[in-house]
Amino acid sequence: MPLSEQEQRLLEEMERSLYQNDSDFVARVTRRQGRPTYTVITLGVLGALAGVAIVIVGLVIKAPLLGILGFVVMLAGVLFALRPGMRAPKAKPARPGRPSSGRPSRPSSGGGGGSFMDRMNERWDKRNDQS
């Protein structure tokens, strides 16, 4: 079910507020995003296949510890292949397509203060009263 225009505007406003008010959090979250290289994926798949082979060998020779070791190797290979790239992106000035200036950093809500959700609820109520 698609969002209405009003919901889309509210979501965009909340996103802009997050980028402005919590830039440290945004930097921490986006730092790890990147594309894994084919080498990492290949090594992970090879590790997973080696783990499967160790599990099979452990079953054939009836060595449960070898089977457990094979499972751990297989799991490590899959996790290694699926992890995101660890290259940190270079510093970007701002999110493209989003204005980064020209508006106050916090909306004025009379006495100031209040949580983020309180301010959002106040804005929502004001918009619904105007319509």
Side-chain angles (χ1 to χ4, degrees), residues 6 121-131:
Q6 184 177 11
N121 286 332
E122 287 175 19
R123 287 182 186 175
W124 183 262
D125 291 339
K126 287 179 187 175
R127 285 190 188 127
N128 286 336
D129 290 341
Q130 290 175 356
S131 300

Side-chain angles (χ1 to χ4, degrees), residues 2 23 26 42-43 53 56 58-59 65-66 70 75 78 83 114 116 125:
S23 59
V26 172
T42 303
L43 289 175
I56 292 173
L59 287 173
L65 291 178
L66 193 58
L75 181 65
V78 168
R83 73 184 172 99
F116 176 73
D125 291 339

Side-chain angles (χ1 to χ4, degrees), residues 41-92:
I41 294 172
T42 303
L43 289 175
V45 169
L46 289 176
L49 292 175
V52 170
I54 294 171
V55 167
I56 292 173
V57 169
L59 287 173
V60 168
I61 64 172
K62 297 180 183 175
L65 291 178
L66 193 58
I68 292 171
L69 175 69
F71 179 77
V72 169
V73 170
M74 180 176 52
L75 181 65
V78 168
L79 291 177
F80 186 76
L82 294 179
R83 73 184 172 99
M86 292 297 175
R87 281 180 266 152
K90 295 188 175 153
K92 297 178 187 175

Side-chain angles (χ1 to χ4, degrees), residues 3-119:
L3 297 175
S4 69
E5 289 182 31
Q6 184 177 11
E7 291 169 333
Q8 287 177 350
R9 282 193 307 264
L10 180 64
L11 184 61
E12 288 174 0
E13 188 176 325
M14 290 169 63
E15 186 178 356
R16 274 186 253 123
S17 176
L18 174 69
Y19 276 96
Q20 284 185 340
N21 296 334
D22 265 348
S23 59
D24 292 339
F25 171 73
V26 172
R28 240 182 305 142
V29 171
T30 58
R31 183 177 304 140
R32 292 187 182 172
Q33 290 181 350
R35 292 184 51 175
T37 62
Y38 289 111
T39 305
V40 170
I41 294 172
T42 303
L43 289 175
V45 169
L46 289 176
L49 292 175
V52 170
I54 294 171
V55 167
I56 292 173
V57 169
L59 287 173
V60 168
I61 64 172
K62 297 180 183 175
L65 291 178
L66 193 58
I68 292 171
L69 175 69
F71 179 77
V72 169
V73 170
M74 180 176 52
L75 181 65
V78 168
L79 291 177
F80 186 76
L82 294 179
R83 73 184 172 99
M86 292 297 175
R87 281 180 266 152
K90 295 188 175 153
K92 297 178 187 175
R95 188 159 182 225
R98 302 274 187 215
S100 60
S101 62
R103 7 184 318 245
S105 62
R106 289 196 146 202
S108 59
S109 58
S115 72
F116 176 73
M117 288 306 295
D118 290 337
R119 292 193 314 265

